[in-house]
Amino acid sequence: MLLDQLGRPLRDLRISVTDRCNLRCTYCMPAEIFGPDYAFLPRSELLSFEEIERLARAFVALGVQKLRLTGGEPTLRRGLPELIAQLSRLDGVQDIALTTNGLLLPRLATDLKAAGLNRVTISIDSLDPEVFGRMNGLGTHPQKVLDGIDAALQVGLGVKINTVVQRGVNEDGLRGLWLALREKAVVRFIEFMDVGNHNGWNLDGVVPSREVLARLSADGTGAEFQALNPHYPGEVAARHRGADGHEIGLISSVSAPFCGDCTRARLSAVGVLYTCLFAGAGTDLRAPLRAGTDDAALRDLIAGVWAARHDRYSEERGEVTRGHKIEMSHIGG
């Protein structure tokens, strides 16, 4: 088994297929930075589907079992079902998932499911049109995301819902959101994180998960929720079940880091391998790939990077200073 310096195996690969997005969420791609004149990557620099498949095969040979396609917004990548079909044919892949804002799912969900996609994680941060419109940066109405959730459910995709929580922005609407969506899917509440360089992160903007739990409960204490055991080692969300049997997830990268179990590698849309969501630098796999490096050498390169890995930024937050971090729009969440 391939292990890093902290004994963590390589089990999950997150693959960004584009740096573009059709929203401008303030915690990821704020409109004042990613405006109309922002220079996104030319298509020639993006990994082709064949290159993604070849690199994914190398990762699977080293122990990866789960693939997750991210962005930017991955549904903007033309021909995405074709890529999923290619990846689904790789021996050893047990699960293929997609992280999306859901806006294009009403027209894509059927083809994505038929191609072999198993699950989607859909982001929606508020059901209040004004709050959600402000958070997504473009005034997009939450109903457009709700339509995407329904489209995914109708074709039989597994669905989880992600909500980023920011102090003074959307915390007052958390219980209403959960009550409205809990019959559809597990809702996971994510602490506002210092990903990238432009989201204005400040510790004062973080609503700790223990407070989120209290806000979700009827009596304001959180006592009605029972902690559940994780489904598998390295699960990012701490699971809880309410008195009515509905489950929620809490992703507490700031208040309760989970670096010790992290089994995830990240591949950017231009083929750079990152070993942490908060990384400042990565390893270029596209250059050797396009230079004709054979599969064995690619596996050796990836294995060497993972074996040297010692990232645990969330556990070190406050003790280390990392001036520049890769943007979340380049490597997904």
Side-chain angles (χ1 to χ4, degrees):
M1 181 184 296
L2 177 60
L3 302 175
D4 71 5
Q5 293 292 301
L6 300 179
R8 298 169 295 188
L10 175 60
R11 286 288 179 265
D12 306 84
L13 177 63
R14 301 193 170 194
I15 305 170
S16 174
V17 297
T18 181
D19 63 330
R20 298 172 185 266
C21 188
N22 47 1
L23 292 179
R24 290 296 180 268
C25 296
T26 55
Y27 53 80
C28 181
M29 294 180 67
E32 60 269 23
I33 303 297
F34 298 87
D37 297 327
Y38 184 82
F40 289 98
L41 295 167
R43 187 173 182 85
S44 61
E45 292 191 19
L46 301 179
L47 292 177
S48 69
F49 288 175
E50 291 71 23
E51 289 171 331
I52 291 174
E53 179 187 8
R54 188 174 167 203
L55 288 174
R57 184 183 297 111
F59 277 94
V60 171
L62 293 169
V64 163
Q65 300 169 349
K66 298 181 179 181
L67 303 176
R68 176 175 292 276
L69 302 182
T70 69
E73 171 49 47
T75 57
L76 292 177
R77 181 73 184 259
R78 185 177 300 175
L80 186 63
E82 176 188 339
L83 173 61
I84 290 171
Q86 291 178 226
L87 296 175
S88 69
R89 292 191 287 267
L90 294 178
D91 289 337
V93 173
Q94 299 178 5
D95 182 71
I96 300 178
L98 180 76
T99 297
T100 175
N101 58 36
L103 298 182
L104 298 181
L105 286 180
R107 89 167 181 245
L108 289 176
T110 297
D111 290 343
L112 293 172
K113 173 66 175 177
L117 186 67
N118 303 114
R119 301 180 294 116
V120 291
T121 298
I122 301 173
S123 300
I124 184 167
D125 300 321
S126 177
L127 296 182
D128 182 302
E130 191 278 328
V131 174
F132 184 61
R134 182 161 20 97
M135 292 187 75
N136 67 54
L138 295 179
T140 301
H141 197 284
Q143 187 59 51
K144 292 184 177 295
V145 181
L146 297 176
D147 291 344
I149 292 171
D150 289 340
L153 291 169
Q154 287 168 8
V155 300
L157 288 167
V159 175
K160 290 181 180 177
I161 297 169
N162 277 357
T163 297
V164 173
V165 184
Q166 290 182 261
R167 176 82 65 195
V169 179
N170 66 331
E171 77 268 36
D172 290 340
L174 299 183
R175 178 168 167 80
L177 183 146
W178 180 59
L179 293 176
L181 298 180
R182 63 184 181 176
E183 297 287 349
K184 295 179 180 290
V186 172
V187 184
R188 308 192 305 176
F189 297 90
I190 305 173
E191 292 178 345
F192 178 38
M193 293 183 291
D194 50 331
V195 181
N197 309 285
H198 303 297
N199 67 2
W201 185 85
N202 187 294
L203 189 59
D204 293 340
V206 177
V207 180
S209 289
R210 61 182 179 276
E211 181 181 332
V212 171
L213 204 61
R215 286 179 173 273
L216 294 176
S217 63
D219 64 2
T221 68
E224 70 182 77
F225 289 96
Q226 175 189 2
L228 303 174
N229 292 326
H231 285 302
Y232 52 86
E235 187 173 23
V236 299
R239 301 166 55 234
H240 293 74
R241 179 178 292 130
D244 55 8
H246 293 96
E247 183 181 322
I248 65 164
L250 300 173
I251 299 178
S252 314
S253 176
V254 179
S255 67
F258 40 83
C259 300
D261 291 327
C262 181
T263 61
R264 293 173 294 284
R266 291 173 164 84
L267 185 65
S268 80
V270 296
V272 177
L273 167 61
Y274 294 95
T275 55
C276 180
L277 176 61
F278 304 94
T283 301
D284 184 6
L285 301 182
R286 187 187 65 184
L289 184 69
R290 292 185 176 179
T293 300
D294 65 26
D295 290 346
L298 284 173
R299 289 195 300 270
D300 288 344
L301 175 58
I302 295 166
V305 171
W306 190 264
R309 175 188 189 237
H310 54 79
D311 300 277
R312 54 185 191 94
Y313 173 81
S314 289
E315 292 181 347
E316 296 175 326
R317 185 186 283 112
E319 301 174 17
V320 299
T321 300
R322 187 164 292 173
H324 176 82
K325 299 186 288 290
I326 188 67
E327 296 297 337
M328 186 161 66
S329 59
H330 284 231
I331 56 173

